[in-house]
Amino acid sequence: MLVITCPYCQEAREEEEFSYAGEAYIARPAVPEEVDDATWGDYVFHRKNPRGWHWEQWQHVAGCRKVFAVKRHTVSYEIAGSWTLADGKALYLEEQA
Amino acid sequence: MANRYSLWSLIKNGLKHHESWQPAWKSPQPKKNYDVIIVGGGGHGLATAYYLAKEHGIKNVAVLEKGYLGGGNTARNTTIIRSNYLWDEAAHLYEHGLKLWEGLSQDLNFNVMFSQRGVMNVGHTLQDMRDIERRANANLLNGVDAVVMTPQEIKDMVPLIDISHRTRYPIMGASFQPRGGVARHDAVAWGFARGASELGVDIIEQCEVTGLIIEGGRIKGVNTSRGDIMADRVGCVAAGNSSVLAKMAGLRLPLESHPLQAFVSESMKPCIDTVVMSNAVHGYVSQSDKGELVIGAGIDSYLGYGQRGSPHVIEHTAAAIIEMFPSFSRVRMNRQWGGIVDVSPDACPIISKTRIKGLYFNCGWGTGGFKATPGSGNVFAHTIAHDDPHPLNRAFSLDRFATGHLIDEHGAAAVAH
């Protein structure tokens, strides 16, 4: 059972209160009409699916219902932290750079 | 075959106190060069190697396995075999597999304990029943056997099931595939390994692939924990770890790896002689030859490579089983495990060439790969041998996620995915 902290409620709660909402910070092509099918398919379907640290979205469905970002390890399931989507994105971009 | 199994060989070895049985497959040192390397020594990978050698005459093949044979999802599933898929492409592919299962023990001279005890998919709502009727009709049109059953017919076949109206989700009917069933998971890996090894395939355990050697858009070989091994053709059959391998080649796959849990009970006297699956309450159960109830359900929602999931998923599964079989509420569970399943967006596999010449992927089987083991290996071997897909897996290419020709079996099959 994962124990996740909601950055809005500021409380650590059990996983059952939350619902997984997939990989975080997938960039939508800026002008969808102009990209080819392969690029669009990549955006819609293809995922990083890393074995290691993963930035993902969780929704606090049984609480505030807000979606936020969590950085979690996909092998040890250790959670490095959780942030609002905006705060997390800054950290995420810093890591990617 | 050097050591062919038969009643005669059993008697002969019995008289020698069973001390002179030969190992079922050889464990050679890896050579420097092969015609084909298969990455992943599970059922699908071993079947691919077997059919490459048997049907396509390509015998200079290595199967590289990072752990031990069949120690991944082959050993971590609930061994259910069926082919009652809704869409033509999927039905044909899985039916091809089911037909191979039917002759597999004879073909391999190894008892895979394939038991055609039937697979029942129970419906609990009006919409379930509409989907079941539709799927059964689609199955019959595709030459797949299917019967629609009433609650009383279900009760006659599975006396322990609760068909009363007291339950939260009363059972309204079911589809039944008489030719479906279960097989022994280890025997499938061992049988294919033995068959492939006899035909000259090198099976190399404890050999982890750490990189792919690619030059000028062509695969040249693999880096492994036991040195570099060269081959012009490499087939990746790594289930949950497919995305990791794809990344080594700079590819992205439309896959997400999730934990899928299952568990077995203590051994009991025979009480259920078919497989019962429910998509609506979400659980499935059969009884193994040892008498254990083998129970499984859905995946954990999050991404995970940890081969374990969360306890609340087990609780939901147990609740679903007890909803259908109240008398199982006192059954004690013996052990529990998790496998890593690579789920694709349309719940159908990817058996495909890639933009790197000579590199092939067979992945995305998600929660239902075991049933396809021989069929998957058979068509993948064809794909590698001819550098062109078999007619049965042409639709299962990686391109479909760009063209939009998905084969949407998610939920459409009214079965537990």
Side-chain angles (χ1 to χ4, degrees):
Chain A
M1 183 82 71
L2 306 178
V3 176
I4 299 169
T5 303
C6 172
Y8 295 97
C9 304
Q10 299 280 334
E11 252 186 79
R13 312 290 287 189
E14 287 190 342
E15 179 195 333
E16 279 179 286
E17 281 197 16
F18 301 88
S19 135
Y20 182 68
E23 184 180 321
Y25 309 125
I26 300 172
R28 188 172 193 267
V31 191
E33 297 80 9
E34 284 173 16
V35 299
D36 58 9
D37 288 350
T39 311
W40 188 253
D42 185 80
Y43 158 68
V44 177
F45 295 117
H46 291 225
R47 295 292 175 261
K48 283 191 186 132
N49 196 21
R51 193 184 170 95
W53 290 105
H54 185 230
W55 282 89
E56 57 197 19
Q57 307 178 116
W58 285 82
Q59 187 183 10
H60 195 183
V61 284
C64 63
R65 300 200 59 80
K66 289 193 173 112
V67 177
F68 55 92
V70 173
K71 185 184 171 189
R72 187 178 61 91
H73 198 279
T74 58
V75 181
S76 67
Y77 299 170
E78 185 192 338
I79 291 173
S82 47
W83 298 268
T84 63
L85 284 173
D87 290 350
K89 187 161 189 181
L91 281 170
Y92 168 81
L93 291 175
E94 213 170 280
E95 267 180 27
Q96 299 294 307
Chain B
M1 203 170 270
N3 47 343
R4 199 176 164 77
Y5 298 148
S6 62
L7 180 61
W8 171 240
S9 75
L10 187 63
I11 295 168
K12 198 174 76 179
N13 282 284
L15 291 172
K16 294 178 189 167
H17 305 281
H18 296 295
E19 283 170 357
S20 44
W21 287 107
Q22 296 299 306
W25 62 85
K26 300 183 262 302
S27 300
Q29 287 298 313
K31 292 191 283 185
K32 283 276 157 239
N33 267 290
Y34 287 95
D35 291 343
V36 178
I37 289 173
I38 303 295
V39 182
H44 289 232
L46 293 164
T48 307
Y50 174 74
Y51 289 114
L52 270 174
K54 182 176 174 246
E55 294 192 351
H56 304 284
I58 302 174
K59 298 183 178 179
N60 188 21
V61 177
V63 178
L64 309 181
E65 166 57 44
K66 70 174 173 177
Y68 58 94
L69 287 193
N73 289 352
T74 305
R76 292 167 179 271
N77 64 84
T78 48
T79 77
I80 297 166
I81 295 162
R82 57 184 178 83
S83 63
N84 55 352
Y85 281 70
L86 176 68
W87 301 106
D88 294 353
E89 297 88 349
H92 292 155
L93 181 67
Y94 288 99
E95 179 62 14
H96 178 59
L98 183 52
K99 282 186 176 140
L100 288 169
W101 276 111
E102 287 175 329
L104 197 60
S105 293
Q106 286 74 23
D107 185 25
L108 294 174
N109 178 232
F110 199 100
N111 188 2
V112 298
M113 297 167 80
F114 178 45
S115 157
Q116 291 182 295
R117 59 185 64 183
V119 172
M120 186 186 285
N121 296 105
V122 179
H124 301 257
T125 63
L126 269 179
Q127 188 57 46
D128 269 2
M129 290 317 297
R130 289 185 194 115
D131 290 341
I132 281 172
E133 296 264 2
R134 179 190 180 204
R135 179 166 48 77
N137 285 329
N139 290 159
L140 292 172
L141 289 171
N142 274 324
V144 175
D145 55 328
V147 185
V148 177
M149 298 171 88
T150 63
Q152 193 53 51
E153 286 169 335
I154 296 170
K155 184 78 178 169
D156 291 344
M157 186 179 283
V158 186
L160 288 179
I161 206 163
D162 184 3
I163 56 162
S164 72
H165 288 278
R166 288 171 307 182
T167 56
R168 175 70 181 80
Y169 299 103
I171 288 171
M172 299 182 71
S175 75
F176 186 64
Q177 183 178 22
R179 284 163 62 242
V182 294
R184 169 133 170 80
H185 51 90
D186 288 330
V188 178
W190 298 338
F192 274 121
R194 174 170 171 269
S197 183
E198 283 293 340
L199 293 169
V201 171
D202 280 2
I203 292 163
I204 298 153
E205 296 173 81
Q206 307 292 334
C207 180
E208 182 171 359
V209 170
T210 52
L212 300 173
I213 306 166
I214 297 162
E215 285 167 20
R218 280 200 68 96
I219 190 90
K220 292 288 173 193
V222 297
N223 313 113
T224 77
S225 53
R226 292 170 68 172
D228 293 356
I229 307 175
M230 309 311 281
D232 286 339
R233 282 174 283 181
V234 174
C236 297
V237 204
N241 285 302
S242 296
S243 294
V244 180
L245 276 171
K247 199 178 170 193
M248 293 175 191
L251 297 171
R252 271 158 64 88
L253 294 175
L255 297 178
E256 291 202 309
S257 298
H258 293 267
L260 174 63
Q261 304 185 79
F263 43 100
V264 296
S265 74
E266 59 194 340
S267 291
M268 301 190 300
K269 286 192 173 174
C271 63
I272 172 168
D273 63 355
T274 184
V275 181
V276 178
M277 311 178 77
S278 166
N279 199 26
V281 299
H282 218 170
Y284 40 90
V285 60
S286 65
Q287 193 170 20
S288 75
D289 292 332
K290 285 188 283 184
E292 303 150 325
L293 294 177
V294 184
I295 294 169
I299 54 174
D300 277 74
S301 63
Y302 50 78
L303 253 181
Y305 284 87
Q307 292 190 324
R308 63 185 191 283
S310 295
H312 68 93
V313 175
I314 301 175
E315 199 178 327
H316 285 226
T317 310
I321 296 302
I322 293 165
E323 163 95 0
M324 288 191 288
F325 296 94
S327 55
F328 289 170
S329 65
R330 292 291 176 270
V331 176
R332 285 169 297 189
M333 292 300 147
N334 236 355
R335 53 183 202 279
Q336 166 271 342
W337 65 88
I340 315 166
V341 296
D342 44 337
V343 179
S344 68
D346 56 0
C348 273
I350 296 158
I351 314 169
S352 180
K353 297 163 68 168
T354 63
R355 62 179 156 81
I356 291 153
K357 192 99 180 89
L359 181 65
Y360 309 88
F361 269 89
N362 181 355
C363 55
W365 289 93
T367 60
F370 180 78
K371 68 173 79 69
T373 305
S376 154
N378 192 275
V379 297
F380 194 44
H382 184 284
T383 307
I384 294 174
H386 298 270
D387 190 35
D388 193 41
H390 189 282
L392 286 173
N393 68 311
R394 199 169 292 279
F396 295 89
S397 76
L398 201 46
D399 301 345
R400 71 178 189 269
F401 299 98
T403 61
H405 290 123
L406 303 192
I407 306 151
D408 183 18
E409 283 289 349
H410 246 309
V415 287
H417 268 300

